[in-house]
Amino acid sequence: MTRELRATGVRMQFGGVVALQDASIAVSPGRIHGLIGRNGSGKSTLFNCITGFLQPTAGRITVDGQVVTGWAPHRLVRAGVARTFQTPRVDMRSSVREAVLAGFYSTLRSGFMAAMLGLPSARSEERRLRDAAAQLMEQLGLLPLAGSEIGRLSMGQVRLVEVARCLAAGARYVLLDEPAAGLTRKEQALLAQQIRALAARGIGVLLVEHNFGLIRALCDEVTVLETGRVLSTGTPDAVAGDARVVESYLGRAEASEDEAAVRPVREAA
Ligand SMILES: Nc1ncnc2c1ncn2[C@@H]1O[C@H](COP(=O)(O)OP(=O)(O)OP(=O)(O)O)[C@@H](O)[C@H]1O
Ligand SMILES: [Mg+2]
C-alpha cells in the first residue's frame, strides 16, 4: 500500500463556474507539498474537496490507498486528514488549552460524554489528554499561553493553535491554507520552523502559500494551479524555471515583492 494522501482528476463545478478541472496532487508522509496559484485559481476549493467540506463533481480522493471521496470532514479527521482555514475557525473566547483539548475530543467517540458525567475512567482519561495537550503546546511554544483567551493572541499564535488542534486530532496529513497570511516576519519564521518539524515527525503537509520565498524554503514539491487546472508540478526550482509558471504567476510584480519580503525567513531557515 502506498502511504500518501492523493487527489486524482478532481473537478468542482459551482453552477456554471468550473473551479477545478482534472486537478491532481499528492503528498507523502514527511514531505511538504506547496500549492500555489493566483487568487481564485482553486487552491482553497481543492483543499475543501480533499477534506470533505465540498463533494467534488468528479475525481477521487484516497488516504493511504483507501478511497475517501465524499467522506464528511469529521470522518476524514479520524482517517488522519486535518486542516486549517484561510480565515482561522477557532472559538476566540476559548483558551488555548481548551482549543487543543477540543482537537483530542474530536477523535473520541464516547469519551466526551463520559467526561461530562465525571466517571472515574473518564477522569484518568481526562488527565491523560491534559498531559498530551500540554506536551503538544510545549512543542509548538504555546505552553506559556495555555490559559490565554485565543481572541487575545497574535495571528501567528492563533495559527499555531490551529496546527496544534490538527495534531491533537492525530492528523497524519495536515493541510494548511495560507497559514503565513497576516503574520509578522518573526512569526513567519517560527511557523516555517514548526512546519518543518511536522514533516520531520512524519506528517505529510499540503501548504497553500502566496509567498514563493516561503514555498521555496519549505517545500519538497510544488503544484501550480491556473484557473482550476494544474499548470505545473515539480521541485520549487523546476517550477520556478517553468516559463508558463513565470508568465502566469511568478513573473507578476506582486509575487516578486512577496519574495523580497520573505528574506528573513530564508535566513532563519
Ligand atoms: N462555494 C462557492 N460557490 C461558488 N463559487 C465558488 C465557491 N467557492 C469558490 N468558488 C469559486 O471558485 C474559484 C476558486 O476559488 P478558490 O477560493 O478555491 O480560490 P483560491 O485559489 O483559494 O483563491 P485565494 O488565493 O483568493 O484564496 C473562484 O472563481 C471562486 O469564486
Ligand atoms: Mg484560498
Side-chain angles (χ1 to χ4, degrees):
M1 178 202 23
T2 320
R3 293 218 171 266
E4 62 176 13
L5 171 64
R6 178 174 286 275
T8 311
V10 173
R11 179 184 179 86
M12 187 70 229
Q13 203 165 337
F14 300 105
V17 178
V18 180
L20 288 173
Q21 218 166 335
D22 197 22
S24 299
I25 195 167
V27 64
S28 306
R31 309 279 286 177
I32 306 175
H33 192 138
L35 179 59
I36 64 174
R38 289 188 198 199
N39 295 121
S41 58
K43 304 179 297 294
S44 294
T45 302
L46 185 53
F47 269 24
N48 287 335
C49 289
I50 293 174
T51 53
F53 286 82
L54 282 173
Q55 170 110 38
T57 313
R60 197 163 64 144
I61 316 296
T62 56
V63 180
D64 300 340
Q66 181 176 24
V67 178
V68 298
T69 321
W71 282 23
H74 69 270
R75 204 171 158 209
L76 277 158
V77 169
R78 288 202 184 121
V81 181
R83 69 173 298 178
T84 66
F85 291 89
Q86 198 163 343
T87 307
R89 289 192 194 174
V90 277
D91 180 357
M92 290 295 167
R93 288 158 310 172
S94 72
S95 71
V96 170
R97 182 185 293 109
E98 285 161 353
V100 175
L101 281 170
F104 283 107
Y105 290 136
S106 71
T107 64
L108 301 177
R109 281 157 214 274
S110 57
F112 189 67
M113 270 317 288
M116 300 284 282
L117 297 170
L119 302 176
S121 62
R123 277 200 292 274
S124 65
E125 176 74 354
E126 176 79 17
R127 212 172 308 122
R128 193 184 63 80
L129 290 186
R130 283 189 168 261
D131 288 349
Q135 204 181 351
L136 205 48
M137 288 186 285
E138 174 149 42
Q139 277 164 18
L140 292 168
L142 292 169
L143 201 50
L145 300 167
S148 305
E149 198 175 299
I150 292 177
R152 306 181 78 89
L153 304 182
S154 72
M155 184 54 103
Q157 290 163 337
V158 174
R159 295 209 186 262
L160 286 178
V161 171
E162 284 208 301
V163 172
R165 213 169 40 162
C166 294
L167 296 180
R172 290 175 296 118
Y173 299 100
V174 174
L175 289 80
L176 306 172
D177 197 348
E178 300 199 28
L183 266 57
T184 64
R185 288 178 186 193
K186 205 174 151 195
E187 286 179 328
Q188 282 193 16
L190 184 69
L191 179 82
Q193 255 177 32
Q194 295 300 347
I195 293 173
R196 262 194 216 98
L198 295 183
R201 290 167 61 178
I203 289 170
V205 180
L206 275 183
L207 171 69
V208 169
E209 178 50 54
H210 280 287
N211 187 324
F212 197 72
L214 193 55
I215 287 282
R216 206 168 209 159
L218 284 174
C219 296
D220 302 297
E221 212 177 341
V222 184
T223 289
V224 189
L225 280 181
E226 188 184 56
T227 56
R229 288 176 181 275
V230 173
L231 182 66
S232 183
T233 301
T235 63
D237 280 347
V239 158
D242 183 332
R244 292 166 310 168
V245 178
V246 174
E247 193 181 325
S248 152
Y249 184 68
L250 292 175
R252 293 173 308 127
E254 190 191 317
S256 17
E257 276 165 29
D258 280 351
E259 196 156 4
V262 81
R263 244 165 240 143
V265 173
R266 283 209 226 166
E267 279 159 19

